[in-house]
Amino acid sequence: MRVLHTSDWHLGRAFHRVSMLGAQADFIGHLVTTVREHAVDAVVVSGDVYDRAVPPLAAVELFDDALHRLAALGVPTVMISGNHDSARRLGVGAGLIDRAGIHLRTEPSAAGTPVVLADAHGDVAFYGLPYLEPALVKDEFAVDRAGHETVLGAAMDRVRADLAGRPPGTRSVVLAHAFVTGGQASDSERDITVGGVAAVPAGVFDGVDYVALGHLHGCQTITERVRYSGSPLAYSFSEADHRKSMWLVDLDADGAVTAERLDCPVPRPLARVRGALDDLLADPALARHEHAWVEATLTDPVRPAEPMARLTERFPHTLSLVFDPERAPDDPEVSYARRLAGRSDQQIAQDFVAHVRGAGPDEQEAAVLGEAFDAVRADDAVREVAR
C-alpha cells in the first residue's frame, strides 16, 4: 500500500503578518496532484490542520476545498487533530464525512478503533491518535500520572490489543501528534511540556509497521518506521534551512517500509543575515537573498538610523529586524531578552527566586513551581477546547 504522509498544515497562519493562504492553497493543489500522479492509496494528515482552535473563515473554506478535492479522487484520507486544533470543531460531521472516504479521528476514546483499508495483500489498519493533552485524557486512559509518555503508552496499548485480535498479516499505521525523543524542534511549534518533559521515547510505538508523526515542523526520520513529515511551509525563520516535503511510504506485503521524500512548493525562500547594517547593504555575497523573505540581525554597537527603510532598499521582503549589538556577555547593557534566550518558563522563575532571596528553590519548591506551570498550561488547553 502506498501512503502519502503529511501534517502541520496550520491553515490560516500568517508568516510575520504576511498571509500564507495563497501558499497554503498552492500546497493543497500540489497535494492533490501528487496523490494522482504517484498512484497514492491513502493520505494521512497527522494533526494541526488549522493554526488555532477557532480558525478564520478563509482557512475553513480552504479546508473544505481540500476535503472535496481529496474525496473526488476516491483516495481514502485519514486525519487527526493536533494541539493547535479544536478536536471538537474539527470532528464535527465526522460520521457523514466518513462516507466520502475522509476519516477524521479526533476522539481519544477511539484510539483503538482503526480505519481498515485493503490492498492486494490484505488489510492495513490505520489508527488515529489525536493530540492527547495529558491533563484532559488521563481519566479516559485510567492513568495515575498525567504525562505524555503515560497517556500515549495507554493509547498504544489499545492499538496493540486491537491489532492482536485481527487476522495474521494485518499491517498497521499509527498517526500521532507528539514530540518524540530525537526530534529537532523549531521556533514555530507550540510548547507542550508537562512536568518539565515534552518528549516521549520512540519505543512507545513498538509493534506497528509505520508511525506517521506530526507536531515538529522539520521532516525527520526518528527510525525507519517512525517519521515526521514536517510542515509543508515554513512558519518561522528557524526553518530557513528546512527542506519542506512529504513522505511517500510504501508498505509491502510483510509490512516492510520504503520511504521517499517529495518536495513541496516554496512560495519564497527564507534568509537570515547578520552583521553591521553598512556591511549587509554592501556585501555582494548577499545578492542571492535579495528576493527572499529576510530576517536581519544588526550587530551595530549603536542602533542605526532608519534601519528597516535602508534594508528594504536592498532586501524588499525584509520581515524581521533584530538588534543584537556585539557586547561581552557580562555587559550590563545586554538585553533582557538575550539573557533569557533558550530558557524555559520554569528556569526563569527559579532564577527569579534565586535573585530575590539569594538562593534558588529546593527540590520541593521546584516541584510546586512545575505543578503551577503545568496547571496554567492545562487550563489554557481546557479554555481553548471550550471556545
Side-chain angles (χ1 to χ4, degrees):
M1 181 167 286
R2 175 162 284 182
V3 178
L4 186 64
H5 168 198
T6 178
S7 72
D8 294 273
W9 294 357
H10 289 278
L11 299 181
R13 186 165 188 160
F15 183 74
H16 289 268
R17 299 178 301 282
V18 174
S19 173
M20 296 296 283
L21 277 170
Q24 290 169 340
D26 289 343
F27 163 70
I28 296 299
H30 171 72
L31 173 72
V32 170
T33 298
T34 300
V35 170
R36 184 171 55 246
E37 292 184 350
H38 288 268
V40 170
D41 297 308
V43 177
V44 297
V45 185
S46 299
D48 282 354
V49 174
Y50 291 122
D51 189 54
R52 57 181 186 264
V54 184
L57 178 59
V60 177
E61 291 174 339
L62 181 54
F63 180 58
D64 181 66
D65 177 63
L67 294 185
H68 278 84
R69 295 174 72 178
L70 288 168
L73 292 174
V75 175
T77 299
V78 184
M79 296 183 172
I80 61 172
S81 50
N83 62 301
H84 279 250
D85 299 309
S86 165
R88 292 171 62 186
R89 280 188 169 82
L90 188 64
V92 168
L96 288 174
I97 297 172
D98 199 76
R99 300 178 188 177
I102 306 292
H103 308 283
L104 298 175
R105 292 296 181 263
T106 64
E107 292 292 336
S109 59
T113 305
V115 175
V116 180
L117 306 176
D119 64 7
H121 305 293
D123 289 345
V124 181
F126 289 78
Y127 297 90
L129 310 186
Y131 172 66
L132 302 176
E133 172 57 48
L136 302 182
V137 302
K138 63 184 181 65
D139 292 337
E140 165 63 33
F141 291 106
V143 297
D144 296 329
R145 183 172 172 273
H148 288 291
E149 182 176 355
T150 307
V151 297
L152 263 176
M156 281 301 301
D157 286 343
R158 294 187 185 183
V159 168
R160 285 184 283 263
D162 179 84
L163 192 57
R166 296 192 173 274
T170 299
R171 290 155 292 162
S172 53
V173 174
V174 165
L175 290 73
H177 197 86
F179 188 169
V180 175
T181 303
Q184 296 297 312
S186 62
D187 292 343
S188 55
E189 298 123 4
R190 183 180 296 168
D191 181 30
I192 59 171
T193 302
V194 173
V197 178
V200 300
V204 164
F205 300 104
D206 285 351
V208 297
D209 294 310
Y210 184 72
V211 181
L213 293 174
H215 179 56
L216 299 184
H217 288 183
C219 182
Q220 301 170 59
T221 300
I222 305 299
T223 73
E224 287 304 306
R225 295 184 181 274
V226 180
R227 299 170 186 263
Y228 283 99
S229 67
S231 60
L233 296 165
Y235 292 115
S236 73
F237 278 103
S238 66
E239 300 167 56
D241 294 329
H242 285 191
R243 173 188 164 195
K244 296 302 184 180
S245 56
M246 301 177 285
W247 285 113
L248 187 66
V249 178
D250 285 313
L251 280 179
D252 73 9
D254 298 320
V257 171
T258 304
E260 175 187 359
R261 286 181 72 177
L262 302 180
D263 292 332
C264 294
V266 178
R268 190 179 294 278
L270 307 185
R272 304 177 101 172
V273 298
R274 179 185 178 89
L277 177 57
D278 289 342
D279 293 339
L280 296 181
L281 296 177
D283 189 349
L286 300 181
R288 68 186 188 279
H289 298 319
E290 290 175 358
H291 299 288
W293 278 321
V294 170
E295 177 186 73
T297 299
L298 301 185
T299 59
D300 303 74
V302 177
R303 184 173 301 209
E306 299 183 328
M308 181 62 88
R310 294 170 64 189
L311 276 168
T312 53
E313 288 181 4
R314 183 180 189 190
F315 307 105
H317 304 288
T318 301
L319 299 182
S320 175
L321 184 57
V322 180
F323 293 97
D324 187 17
E326 291 184 343
R327 296 188 174 107
D330 57 352
D331 190 319
E333 296 300 318
V334 172
S335 74
Y336 181 68
R338 185 173 175 184
R339 293 199 302 272
L340 297 185
R343 302 183 69 75
S344 69
D345 290 342
Q346 178 148 356
Q347 288 172 324
I348 293 169
Q350 292 182 188
D351 287 349
F352 176 76
V353 172
H355 173 74
V356 169
R357 73 179 188 189
D362 60 26
E363 185 175 339
Q364 184 176 359
E365 291 169 332
V368 170
L369 280 172
E371 290 170 2
F373 280 116
D374 287 348
V376 170
R377 192 190 51 76
D379 183 63
D380 286 344
V382 171
R383 290 174 184 272
E384 187 156 306
V385 168
R387 289 174 66 190

